[in-house]
Amino acid sequence: MHELPMVMELLSMMERKARENHLSKITEIDLRIGELSDLVDECIQLYFDTAAEGTCCEGAKLVFEKNPAILRCTKCGRQFPYARSFQCPDCGGSATLVRGTGTG
């Protein structure tokens, strides 16, 4: 259910951009979602299809792309892609997430 607020914000943003650019119809929207995000593509699509009825986005195709999660070691500073562990492959230190949970 947490996909619904994201979908409503997406629709609001798309309608605003359509007005600013004098567009009457949006046919495709590319979405980049972080690899570690808990958003579910199918839920986003379902909510979008319903919420977009009667808007400039009605019938628009959503294209989903997963952004890889990037971590940074707190010990040595190395950045590396997430591989089912938050442990640095070089020094064994703990890592923090730099990118890969949100939408963009």
Side-chain angles (χ1 to χ4, degrees), residues 17 21-22 28 41 75 83 86 102:
K17 290 293 183 182
N21 292 288
H22 308 290
E28 184 173 294
D41 297 356
K75 187 174 177 183
F86 277 74

Side-chain angles (χ1 to χ4, degrees), residues 41-63:
D41 297 356
E42 292 81 11
C43 290
I44 294 170
Q45 185 70 63
L46 178 67
Y47 285 127
F48 181 83
D49 290 343
T50 302
E53 289 179 10
T55 73
C56 64
C57 295
E58 184 171 359
K61 177 182 176 186
L62 298 182
V63 179

